[in-house]
Amino acid sequence: GALARQAEADGVEFRWNTAIRRIVVDGGRVNRVETDQGDVTADAFVIALGSYSPALLRPLGILLPVYPVKGYSVTIPISDAAGAPVSTIMDETHKVAITRLGDRIRAAGTAELTGFDLRLTDSRCRMIAHVVSDLFPAGGDSARAEFWTGLRPMTPDGPPVVGRTAIANLYLNTGHGTLGWTMACGSGRLISEILSGGATSIDPGGLSLDRYA
């Protein structure tokens, strides 16, 4: 909410509920992107679609090794602040991270290889909820727990893929795995530096798609 409003104030245009149909390349450059709301043209294009990035690039002959790894989370309202966590902790037995988000407790974990299936598996949900109630039995109202699942865009070696492609004006900023928010600002800065053609804050070589050649 607030982040989107700040971006709009800085000149960003969001196009909600818009499906990308294909990227059209002509003469080694992206000519346009076809969507169900009309064509989009620009000087440069950045693919930042997480686990869904490879599907858009495959027709262009770009093989991007980013794979969906399904994770779960539970969000529970705090019923007793004294019994809730005050910072992030990790349950090493179940590999579940628990943190406090204002008046809520958030727990997240698991790694499930199910392709693009976003159905909630009951056993996974119960395991994560159990971790919260086991460590903080008086902290949250488990009856009002909300479950969610999403796909982490993982690469074979761990780091994201940020940088150029073989197509002149097409760039990548994807594959951040479990650390999308953690690395968002740094990745955004790096890709903007690459786009501008100036010096970069770090050597981008280790993050480029060329490392898989």
Side-chain angles (χ1 to χ4, degrees):
L3 182 59
R5 289 192 295 274
Q6 181 61 56
E8 287 179 323
D10 290 337
V12 173
E13 178 188 346
F14 291 96
R15 300 191 180 187
W16 306 110
N17 304 312
T18 301
I20 300 172
R21 289 175 173 163
R22 69 175 182 132
I23 298 173
V24 180
V25 174
D26 183 24
R29 295 178 59 85
V30 176
N31 175 272
R32 67 188 186 278
V33 173
E34 294 181 356
T35 81
D36 63 350
Q37 304 294 323
D39 292 354
V40 176
T41 59
D43 294 329
F45 299 82
V46 179
I47 301 295
L49 297 172
S51 297
Y52 299 92
S53 298
L56 202 59
L57 294 167
R58 198 173 298 117
L60 307 180
I62 298 174
L63 302 180
L64 176 67
V66 170
Y67 307 97
V69 178
K70 187 176 178 180
Y72 288 74
S73 76
V74 60
T75 304
I76 301 174
I78 291 175
S79 54
D80 180 2
V86 296
S87 63
T88 301
I89 66 167
M90 173 67 75
D91 183 319
E92 291 291 350
T93 301
H94 298 92
K95 305 301 181 187
V96 171
I98 305 171
T99 193
R100 184 168 180 165
L101 297 175
D103 58 357
R104 300 170 295 164
I105 300 171
R106 167 75 54 79
T110 79
E112 195 173 17
L113 301 176
T114 58
F116 292 88
D117 182 358
L118 289 174
R119 288 176 294 182
L120 289 164
T121 302
D122 183 62
S123 60
R124 302 273 185 174
C125 293
R126 284 189 282 105
M127 182 273 290
I128 294 178
H130 167 73
V131 171
V132 178
S133 62
D134 185 46
L135 295 178
F136 303 98
D141 182 0
S142 58
R144 296 166 59 197
E146 296 180 357
F147 296 95
W148 178 87
T149 187
L151 303 175
R152 306 184 189 96
M154 306 295 295
T155 59
D157 53 348
V161 184
V162 181
R164 302 178 183 277
T165 70
I167 298 172
N169 59 339
L170 184 64
Y171 302 81
L172 303 174
N173 185 15
T174 187
H176 293 78
T178 62
L179 300 174
W181 279 108
T182 305
M183 295 191 284
C185 292
S187 297
R189 177 175 179 176
L190 179 60
I191 196 65
S192 67
E193 292 169 344
I194 293 171
L195 277 163
S196 66
T200 56
S201 304
I202 62 171
D203 180 359
L207 298 175
S208 74
L209 185 60
D210 292 341
R211 72 183 192 263
Y212 299 115

